[in-house]
Amino acid sequence: MDYLNTLYVVASLLIFISIMTSTLSARLGVPLLLFFLGVGMLAGEEGVLGIPFADYQLANFIGQAALACILLDGGLRTSLNSFRVGLKPAITLASWGVLATVTALGIFATWLLDVDWRLGLLMAAIVGSTDAAAVFSLLRNGGVKLNDRVQATLEIESGANDPLAILLVTAMIALNLDPDSQSISSLLVMLVQQIGTGLIVGLLSGWALSRLLPKVYLADGMYAILIMSAGMIVFGATNLLGGSGFLAVYLAGVVIGNTKVRATEHVLRVMDSFAWLSQAALFVILGLLVMPSNILEVWHYSLLIFLFLLFVARPWAVASSLLPFHFSLREIGFISWVGLRGAVPITLAIIPVMMKVPGADLAFNITFGVVILSLLAQGTTIPFMSRLFRVWVPTDNEPKAEHEIWVGDQANITLYEFEVKPGAFAINRHPQSISSKVSPNAISVFALVRHQKLLTINDDTTLKTGDLVWYAMSGDHAASIAKIFNNSTAQYQKNSQFYGDWLLSPHAKIADLPFYNLATKTLNTNGNRLSRLQTSAAWEIFTLAPSATSLTGIDDELIDTLTKSQNMTVEEFMLNEFATEPVKGDEIRLNEHWSLIVRDIDGQGRLRGVGLKNYHKD
């Protein structure tokens, strides 16, 4: 009995400490998953607590269950809109990308370690796929908003590349143990079975559960438990049928999450806790399992393999996968960098150890080192690299929080929270009369919080810096209201720096724009084009920033480009130039000085706002 109580205390203490480190993680910019690993290693046999743990079977069991939970949660939060821009490139990355990575890395590992090629390819297959737990955690909690194409591609890839990775690991284990047992045809049959079964079971089970949820009436907290148990059934049953349980549970989550009913809101709230608990438990257990001294013995191999993976194998795989989809070099560079490795490689590395594959311990220790280096080097630099590769987009037009209240099976009210920032337009305004552009019938004040206390609203109430206001809204007004509550000067500077000083209507004709009017009517004096604006009714369709007193960089190249497209709308011109589905932040360079940038876009891919940017203003 004392043993059980000690186990309860130690296990809970490790999880508690891991969660408490989240504040330190955010302050230092170090991924929280790395702290979970660190806590496990410090508590392990060579750590402070000296807990002996070498149960690979238990670690594998916990790892598989935790990853299924994380993938289910990731699927629940994946919008179908992301499939519109990211599905095809992500599937290519999850198939050819994995094969290309494993092939290149396998050749390098075989040469570097001077081992049999089968073991080299096994090691490459273990670390060949990106990790869903790391990708979902770091991209969604990394403090930076990526453009939708990059975000969707990375997330879908991480959720879909497990079947091929598991197949390759399984095949390479068989080749190491019994080289005569595998053939190309058997591998192809296994791959089709893994993906096909996972796809069918995942979609069908997701559809069935999405139809079941509206008909079941439970306590709020029970919906998540219902979905969680159903997800584990899908995961286990698909594996029993010879399919990919990871793919099936992810797809089931996608279908359920995109079915807007009363139950899904409760599921999302509680599933977030389940997913974090799964990540904490998984990485703590993996930390307990490893011997730091063993990692240090092969750290130089881990470093060289990681560097080759980061700068050669992954970029080659990403470039060859995404260039046919017309991704920009900046996007390819960022996606190459954010090929995060985490729990999946370590969990896969456990399997050959359990099956006593020769050299499996070496593969396990090197894999662990690669994961630590990946979380350190890649996980900590996501915000910096997103700006370096220019794949981030401003986020000032979003509410601080939003919350759905369901008043019926198919009816809900969405509450949005906004904070009054210093210098905001909302200061000294009545909360109900916050915008003349939004009908009073479309927005209603739900609550006003000042100094953490609920404030009664009367006719004389005005907003102050730091106030928190909750609105119930109908219609798509959250972005415009958010601009009123944010620091108008800081917001303008950030947006103008990214999108440019001018906001164009996508429905305006190129020939009607004052920009075009200026380009075609400037006078040429001694080879220099004058930049004097002329009056035009077209000023009504876009806004000129007060600081932009002149337009520079108008040359023959720009005039030729605009003249050829003068009868097109801005949207038609941009869609004609794009080689792929546009997303917010996409840019078309008109010449060395001028660019058109997608500022806003709807769910069907139609442009709603376009920025005009001058890179060389006087």
Side-chain angles (χ1 to χ4, degrees):
M1 193 66 179
D2 289 342
Y3 172 77
L4 286 177
N5 289 326
T6 302
L7 180 62
Y8 296 150
V9 170
V10 172
S12 301
L13 181 63
L14 291 177
I15 299 297
F16 179 82
I17 294 173
S18 301
I19 299 298
M20 289 301 294
T21 57
S22 61
T23 55
L24 184 62
S25 169
R27 193 173 305 163
L28 297 178
V30 178
L32 183 57
L33 304 181
L34 197 59
F35 278 86
F36 292 162
L37 273 177
V39 168
M41 293 170 70
L42 286 173
E45 189 171 349
E46 295 183 348
V48 177
L49 297 182
I51 300 174
F53 183 79
D55 192 335
Y56 287 90
Q57 294 279 358
L58 178 60
N60 183 55
F61 169 78
I62 294 174
Q64 299 265 352
L67 287 172
C69 176
I70 293 165
L71 281 166
L72 176 61
D73 180 66
L76 289 169
R77 298 174 189 280
T78 299
S79 170
L80 283 179
N81 284 334
S82 65
F83 279 72
R84 177 177 58 83
V85 296
L87 180 60
K88 291 179 181 179
I91 293 301
T92 305
L93 269 178
S95 52
W96 162 249
V98 172
L99 283 173
T101 302
V102 171
T103 302
L105 187 59
I107 295 172
F108 178 75
T110 300
W111 169 81
L112 177 67
L113 302 174
D114 193 20
V115 296
D116 184 84
W117 66 270
R118 298 175 186 85
L119 181 59
L121 283 176
L122 171 60
M123 193 175 304
I126 289 171
V127 296
S129 65
T130 58
D131 180 61
V135 169
F136 290 144
S137 174
L138 295 176
L139 291 189
R140 297 181 179 182
N141 302 285
V144 64
K145 170 66 175 172
L146 304 176
N147 80 47
D148 290 341
R149 183 185 303 107
V150 171
Q151 180 103 7
T153 300
L154 284 168
E155 290 189 354
I156 297 173
E157 176 205 7
S158 69
N161 63 12
D162 291 326
L164 184 56
I166 293 171
L167 171 68
L168 292 175
V169 170
T170 303
M172 295 316 302
I173 288 175
L175 282 175
N176 275 271
L177 293 176
D178 185 8
D180 298 327
S181 65
Q182 297 294 315
S183 64
I184 297 297
S185 60
S186 64
L187 290 178
L188 290 176
V189 169
M190 188 187 302
L191 177 61
V192 171
Q193 184 179 7
Q194 283 266 316
I195 295 177
T197 306
L199 191 67
I200 294 171
V201 175
L203 293 176
L204 288 179
S205 58
W207 177 84
L209 288 167
S210 66
R211 294 297 181 272
L212 174 66
L213 284 174
K215 299 178 173 60
V216 177
Y217 295 91
L218 302 169
D220 290 351
M222 297 295 288
Y223 287 106
I225 299 175
L226 177 68
I227 295 300
M228 183 67 185
S229 60
M232 296 309 296
I233 293 172
V234 171
F235 175 71
T238 307
N239 287 333
L240 288 173
L241 293 172
S244 170
F246 291 126
L247 178 62
V249 75
Y250 174 71
L251 291 176
V254 171
V255 176
I256 296 169
N258 284 274
T259 305
K260 298 294 290 182
V261 295
R262 177 188 181 96
T264 54
E265 171 63 16
H266 304 305
V267 169
L268 288 176
R269 287 187 229 159
V270 184
M271 276 300 301
D272 193 42
S273 297
F274 282 162
W276 275 111
L277 177 61
S278 298
Q279 291 185 67
L282 172 58
F283 279 85
V284 169
I285 288 294
L286 295 177
L288 282 170
L289 192 63
V290 73
M291 293 284 191
S293 60
N294 293 338
I295 297 178
L296 292 175
E297 288 178 3
V298 295
W299 72 269
H300 51 295
Y301 290 134
S302 297
L303 176 62
L304 291 173
I305 287 175
F306 170 70
L307 291 176
F308 184 86
L309 178 64
L310 182 62
F311 292 111
V312 180
R314 173 72 177 175
W316 145 246
V318 172
S320 59
S321 298
L322 299 186
L323 279 175
F325 296 99
H326 306 288
F327 275 58
S328 69
L329 294 179
R330 293 182 288 102
E331 292 170 333
I332 289 173
F334 181 78
I335 293 173
S336 298
W337 183 266
V338 190
L340 291 161
R341 268 62 188 175
V344 169
I346 301 176
T347 304
L348 291 177
I350 291 174
I351 301 174
V353 175
M354 292 190 303
M355 301 186 70
K356 302 187 185 310
V357 175
D361 290 332
L362 175 65
F364 178 82
N365 291 322
I366 290 177
T367 298
F368 213 103
V370 169
V371 168
I372 292 175
L373 290 169
S374 177
L375 292 175
L376 273 174
Q378 297 167 284
T380 59
T381 57
I382 287 177
F384 171 77
M385 299 304 287
S386 70
R387 284 167 172 78
L388 179 66
F389 286 104
R390 290 186 291 140
V391 295
W392 67 284
V393 290
T395 56
D396 275 339
N397 61 344
E398 296 179 357
K400 184 176 182 180
E402 59 182 277
H403 181 69
E404 287 183 337
I405 298 178
W406 287 82
V407 294
D409 290 339
Q410 301 292 329
N412 69 296
I413 299 172
T414 303
L415 299 179
Y416 298 91
E417 181 188 21
F418 302 92
E419 180 179 358
V420 182
K421 300 292 181 63
F425 181 76
I427 295 174
N428 295 326
R429 298 182 67 86
H430 192 279
Q432 185 60 54
S433 306
I434 199 66
S435 175
S436 59
K437 297 181 180 180
V438 180
S439 169
N441 297 326
I443 182 172
S444 178
V445 181
F446 181 77
L448 171 59
V449 179
R450 180 174 295 168
H451 304 308
Q452 300 184 357
K453 294 181 180 179
L454 194 63
L455 189 68
T456 301
I457 301 174
N458 53 47
D459 293 340
D460 298 327
T461 301
T462 57
L463 296 174
K464 300 183 182 300
T465 301
D467 285 353
L468 298 175
V469 188
W470 284 88
Y471 288 104
M473 276 189 264
S474 59
D476 188 16
H477 303 297
S480 59
I481 298 298
K483 295 176 182 177
I484 297 172
F485 278 84
N486 286 319
N487 185 310
S488 55
T489 302
Q491 177 181 324
Y492 169 76
Q493 290 175 345
K494 181 184 291 187
N495 285 337
S496 64
Q497 181 183 15
F498 187 86
Y499 296 111
D501 291 317
W502 295 270
L503 174 61
L504 306 178
S505 166
H507 307 299
K509 293 277 189 180
I510 295 291
D512 291 337
L513 296 178
F515 181 76
Y516 174 80
N517 184 54
L518 172 66
T520 55
K521 293 185 179 180
T522 50
L523 301 176
N524 195 319
T525 305
N526 296 326
N528 297 319
R529 293 190 177 275
L530 305 179
S531 57
R532 183 174 60 83
L533 285 173
Q534 303 183 12
T535 305
S536 170
W539 276 111
E540 299 176 2
I541 59 177
F542 80 106
T543 303
L544 177 63
S547 61
T549 56
S550 64
L551 299 176
T552 61
I554 297 176
D555 54 18
D556 292 331
E557 177 188 355
L558 179 59
I559 293 174
D560 290 342
T561 299
L562 296 178
T563 302
K564 293 175 183 177
S565 310
Q566 59 181 308
N567 294 323
M568 290 185 177
T569 65
V570 172
E571 181 176 31
E572 289 170 344
F573 172 75
M574 295 187 73
L575 292 179
N576 187 58
E577 293 292 318
F578 286 133
T580 185
E581 194 82 21
V583 296
K584 187 176 179 180
D586 275 352
E587 180 179 13
I588 293 176
R589 295 300 293 258
L590 300 174
N591 67 356
E592 182 182 354
H593 304 277
W594 290 95
S595 285
L596 293 171
I597 303 175
V598 177
R599 189 163 182 152
D600 199 8
I601 197 165
D602 64 18
Q604 284 71 48
R606 295 187 295 261
L607 305 189
R608 296 177 57 183
V610 176
L612 178 62
K613 186 171 183 177
N614 182 3
Y615 285 93
H616 298 280
K617 293 184 296 183
D618 284 342

